[in-house]
């Protein structure tokens, strides 16, 4: 009877993983903790804790079911510290006739698999990762012959394909999108809900000690670790969200509040990205709340769109565009990333808060990532390599297939408009409208220029003028460029003030 070595990666912790589907007696499952994966960027310490602890718990779960698991710990003295090396070591004693794996999410690991094929003494079968709602060939067929890839049209097709939030062939409620109702500023009197925190159990505590000892120079703190590291914990986070939080998800989806990173967001991206939750199941459960009258349509549609629309769309774009995608630099951004992204040491209250919660929780919600740190990097002209590396490092849910289209495409427009139809550039007025940050800031958001003015203001106009040649032909930028034209006499002085500010904030030309 042929025996198979089944490789399970750290973000493939799903019972229904394609590599495990036909698991037979005599097969061996291989899971490895390796330095190559832990250090290709200096991941937030909580992300290392999440992945190692969840891997250990998944391996225990398989072993309890009688599966033969070879689990290689980071501190195993014979560990070769990379995935191909550990697969070859697992094959050393013979007796295994083939390797079965699931397609990795990141191009980097696809290359590692290619090198493994050349070295391994037995064949490697790589199966599709079918834990997404949209299979790769379906996305490719959708994208083929389209001049532009727009998430909204993809999302509508996915609604039709899955039947989610549909009445026959029509969207429930008569509209596809309730975004316009989901942009409310949070009133002072509305208090964000208390959130479930998963207390670290013995496995997590062990891994926290390991990470503190071996990765003390990585970004972030472990003290507040409260993420799900098992299927059961992920289900309880999800159940808490669906029952208590989802009904208000829509209203305050875009708002920000100092010291309150989670607001009404689901906090499930980490569990979802490592395979502890299933995206279609989440969407169906949210839909059931609407159908049962327990959650309004704007909340449920807004939430489903994030998963069925955005998450599936960015994965499709990442796969379709290949490795060159993250090398694009459409705005020729050439500046260094300011030190404040690491330290949070800045007088800009919004940036200080977002970097602070990122250090403490390895989390910031979408609008904080997009309109505070992302917007600042865009306006400063930070080089894509530097800001991509920061987002990969900073967040609990960061895996390149989802991080890169969001950062590279959406936040800094380095892909020239593949993910977003225009740059998400904004002045301080946007941040002021959607948050309470500005009231506690040394800068004056109402002041456009000069000493004490909100840095986002002059940087916004400087960005538009600096990139005029590249952006003014975009119909969605017509309005701001009309304003730019009206201030022609000030262009030189805005550029000079913007440049001085860029240097002062630490966005210097890269050498
Ligand atoms: P909620 O706001 O409650 O949304 C529910 C779920 O929808 C999320 O868990 C997530 O799975 C999905 N989702 C929402 N928005 C997106 C999106 N734009 N792309 C893909 N999925 C989405 N998400 C990651 O999972 N990993 C990343 O590395 C990542 N990097 C980002 C970088 C930037 C610059 C930006 C602007 C966004 C990034 N996002 C990333 C998307 C989004 O910010 C996070 O998915 C979300 O904040 C996770 O928190 P939540 O679970 O509370 O999400
Ligand atoms: Fe941020 Fe400007 Fe508001 Fe300060 S004034 S919190 S820098 S937007």
């Amino acid at each position: 009877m042929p025996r198979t070595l089944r490789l399970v990666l750290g973000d493939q912790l799903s019972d229904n993983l394609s590599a495990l589907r036909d698991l037979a007696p005599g097969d061996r499952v291989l899971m490895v903790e390796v330095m190559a994966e832990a250090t290709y960027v200096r991941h937030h310490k909580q992300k290392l804790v999440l992945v190692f602890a969840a891997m250990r718990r998944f391996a225990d779960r398989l072993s309890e079911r009688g599966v033969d698991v070879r689990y290689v710990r980071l501190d195993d003295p014979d560990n070769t510290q990379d995935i191909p090396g550990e697969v070859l070591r697992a094959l050393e004693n013979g007796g295994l006739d083939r390797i079965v794996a699931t397609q990795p999410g990141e191009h980097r690991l696809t290359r590692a698999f290619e090198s493994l094929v050349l070295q391994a003494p037995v064949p490697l079968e790589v199966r599709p990762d079918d834990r997404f709602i949209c299979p790769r060939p379906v996305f490719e067929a959708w994208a083929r012959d389209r001049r532009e890839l727009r998430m909204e049209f993809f999302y509508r097709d996915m609604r039709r394909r899955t039947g989610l939030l549909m009445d026959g062939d029509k969207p429930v409620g008569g509209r596809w999108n309730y975004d316009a109702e989901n942009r409310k500023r949070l009133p002072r009197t509305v208090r964000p809900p208390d959130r479930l925190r998963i207390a670290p159990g013995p496995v997590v505590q062990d891994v926290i000690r390991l990470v503190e000892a071996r990765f003390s120079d990585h970004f972030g703190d472990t003290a507040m670790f409260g993420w799900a590291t098992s299927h059961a914990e992920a289900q309880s986070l999800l159940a808490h969200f669906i029952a208590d939080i989802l009904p208000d998800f829509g209203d305050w989806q875009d708002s920000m509040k100092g010291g309150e990173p989670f607001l009404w967001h689901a906090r499930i991206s980490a569990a979802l990205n490592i395979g502890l939750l299933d995206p279609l199941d989440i969407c169906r459960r949210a839909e059931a709340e609407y159908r049962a009258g327990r959650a309004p349509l704007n909340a449920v549609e807004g939430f489903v769109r994030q998963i069925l629309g955005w998450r599936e769309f960015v994965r499709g774009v990442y796969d379709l565009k290949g490795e060159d995608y993250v090398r694009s630099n459409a705005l020729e951004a050439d500046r260094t990333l300011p030190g404040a992204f690491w330290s949070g040491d800045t007088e800009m209250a919004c940036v200080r808060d977002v970097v602070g919660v990122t250090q403490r929780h390895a989390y910031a919600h979408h609008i904080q990532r997009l309109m505070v740190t992302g917007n600042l990097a865009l306006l400063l002209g930070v080089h894509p390599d530097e800001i991509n590396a920061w987002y990969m490092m900073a967040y609990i849910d960061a895996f390149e297939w989802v991080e890169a289209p969001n950062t590279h495409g959406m936040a800094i427009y380095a892909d020239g408009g593949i993910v977003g139809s225009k740059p998400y550039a904004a002045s301080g007025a946007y941040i002021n409208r959607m948050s309470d940050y500005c009231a506690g800031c040394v800068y004056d958001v109402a002041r456009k220029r000069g000493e004490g003015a909100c840095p986002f203001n002059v940087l916004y106009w400087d960005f538009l003028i600096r990139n005029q040649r590249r952006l003014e032909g975009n119909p969605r930028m017509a309005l701001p460029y009309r304003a730019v034209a009206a201030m022609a006499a000030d262009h030189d002085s805005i550029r000079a003030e913007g440049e001085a500010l860029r240097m002062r904030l630490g966005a210097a030309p890269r050498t």
Side-chain angles (χ1 to χ4, degrees):
M1 174 106 169
R3 291 177 61 213
T4 303
L5 183 68
R6 296 174 185 273
L7 177 62
V8 175
L9 303 177
D11 61 350
Q12 297 182 339
L13 310 180
S14 309
D15 290 330
N16 65 345
L17 189 74
S18 56
L20 295 177
R21 210 152 284 159
D22 49 352
L23 194 67
D27 288 353
R28 175 166 293 170
V29 171
L30 175 66
M31 298 178 69
V32 298
E33 298 174 2
V34 289
M35 287 301 274
E37 291 307 301
T39 56
Y40 69 88
V41 293
R42 281 171 45 218
H43 304 282
H44 196 296
K45 287 180 194 152
Q46 290 196 25
K47 183 172 166 208
L48 294 174
V49 175
L50 171 90
V51 175
F52 288 159
M55 284 173 69
R56 290 180 183 193
R57 298 184 75 183
F58 188 67
D60 289 346
R61 180 182 166 100
L62 291 174
S63 300
E64 280 158 21
R65 286 191 207 147
V67 176
D68 174 9
V69 181
R70 175 182 165 104
Y71 192 93
V72 182
R73 291 197 175 208
L74 194 75
D75 46 16
D76 178 334
D78 297 323
N79 189 334
T80 57
Q81 302 297 353
D82 72 18
I83 290 172
E86 281 312 291
V87 174
L88 295 177
R89 205 160 68 86
L91 293 167
E92 264 168 12
N93 294 335
L96 293 158
D97 308 286
R98 62 171 185 156
I99 313 161
V100 169
T102 292
Q103 177 69 44
E106 305 188 344
H107 302 314
R108 185 178 49 81
L109 285 170
T110 302
R111 280 201 307 280
F113 275 26
E114 285 160 7
S115 95
L116 183 58
V117 170
L118 298 176
Q119 299 172 65
V122 296
L124 166 65
E125 181 195 339
V126 180
R127 297 178 176 174
D129 187 349
D130 50 14
R131 297 171 303 156
F132 289 85
I133 306 171
C134 182
R136 271 184 177 176
V138 172
F139 188 87
E140 282 164 15
W142 175 82
R144 200 174 300 134
D145 302 330
R146 269 172 209 265
R147 206 166 47 82
E148 286 185 330
L149 306 181
R150 287 291 155 252
M151 194 288 290
E152 185 62 32
F153 299 116
F154 168 76
Y155 167 61
R156 291 178 191 181
D157 278 7
M158 290 299 288
R159 293 266 297 271
R160 291 189 192 97
R161 190 180 155 82
T162 56
L164 275 162
L165 294 175
M166 296 295 289
D167 279 339
D169 59 356
K170 299 268 182 299
V172 290
R175 277 159 53 197
W176 292 104
N177 184 321
Y178 289 80
D179 235 5
E181 290 163 39
N182 293 351
R183 296 193 182 119
K184 299 188 188 84
R185 186 185 208 268
L186 185 63
R188 264 174 219 276
T189 48
V190 177
R191 198 177 150 264
D194 293 332
R195 303 307 296 261
L196 179 69
R197 180 164 178 270
I198 310 275
V203 176
V204 173
Q205 287 173 16
D206 257 9
V207 178
I208 288 178
R209 280 190 286 276
L210 171 82
V211 167
E212 290 292 357
R214 298 286 298 271
F215 304 96
S216 57
D217 59 339
H218 281 223
F219 182 73
D221 313 324
T222 53
M224 301 296 285
F225 187 92
W227 300 102
T229 55
S230 71
H231 293 78
E233 288 173 357
Q235 283 299 335
S236 58
L237 264 189
L238 178 63
H240 161 64
F241 170 74
I242 296 267
D244 304 333
I245 316 287
L246 174 65
D248 293 314
F249 175 87
D251 288 353
W252 323 116
Q253 196 182 339
D254 284 4
S255 58
M256 299 179 276
K257 187 172 170 63
E260 294 281 357
F262 304 127
L263 298 177
W264 285 264
H265 291 274
R267 298 193 307 157
I268 53 166
S269 49
L272 190 50
N273 292 352
I274 63 172
L276 301 181
L277 292 171
D278 175 73
L280 189 56
D281 173 57
I282 297 171
C283 293
R284 292 213 188 285
R285 284 172 65 177
E287 178 185 30
E289 294 303 292
Y290 164 70
R291 301 261 185 210
R294 290 190 291 263
L297 187 53
N298 70 310
V300 173
E301 188 283 314
F303 177 70
V304 166
R305 178 152 27 89
Q306 305 312 312
I307 296 177
L308 183 68
W310 279 113
R311 185 171 187 271
E312 296 290 326
F313 178 73
V314 299
R315 190 251 186 173
V317 168
Y318 178 80
D319 283 344
L320 192 72
K321 297 293 170 187
E323 295 192 53
D324 286 343
Y325 180 78
V326 283
R327 295 197 198 105
S328 54
N329 186 1
L331 300 182
E332 297 175 60
D334 63 350
R335 296 301 168 106
T336 54
L337 186 70
F341 277 75
W342 305 98
S343 65
D345 186 8
T346 167
E347 289 185 319
M348 299 169 78
C350 52
V351 177
R352 193 170 60 234
D353 182 71
V354 175
V355 174
V357 299
T358 302
Q359 286 168 329
R360 285 193 296 284
H361 298 288
Y363 180 90
H365 72 66
H366 185 71
I367 296 300
Q368 293 174 313
R369 298 187 204 193
L370 183 64
M371 300 311 295
V372 178
T373 41
N375 185 26
L376 183 60
L378 170 73
L379 300 186
L380 290 171
V382 174
H383 192 280
D385 288 354
E386 300 209 7
I387 190 67
N388 271 318
W390 187 80
Y391 277 101
M392 271 303 291
M393 177 234 45
Y395 291 107
I396 192 80
D397 51 24
F399 295 88
E400 195 186 65
W401 64 264
V402 52
E403 176 278 331
N406 272 292
T407 306
H408 200 81
M410 201 184 303
I412 60 164
Y413 200 72
D415 67 4
I418 294 172
V419 170
S421 55
K422 71 176 183 74
Y424 281 88
S427 68
Y430 175 88
I431 295 172
N432 190 34
R433 191 161 64 248
M434 297 312 299
S435 77
D436 63 355
Y437 288 135
C438 302
C441 186
V442 299
Y443 293 109
D444 181 355
V445 71
R447 213 166 154 176
K448 302 286 175 247
R449 311 254 321 252
E451 193 65 30
C454 167
F456 279 103
N457 292 344
V458 80
L459 287 174
Y460 174 70
W461 295 110
D462 173 47
F463 168 83
L464 289 177
I465 298 165
R466 189 160 26 95
N467 289 292
Q468 185 157 9
R469 180 178 53 80
R470 300 182 185 96
L471 299 175
E472 70 180 340
N474 181 335
R476 295 204 60 204
M477 298 297 284
L479 201 65
Y481 275 107
R482 272 205 289 280
V484 166
M487 54 171 72
D490 298 327
H491 285 191
D492 288 350
S493 65
I494 290 173
R495 288 298 316 275
E497 196 176 327
E499 179 56 23
L501 197 47
R502 290 163 88 196
M503 294 301 288
R504 184 160 69 75
L505 293 176
R510 293 170 98 220
T511 47

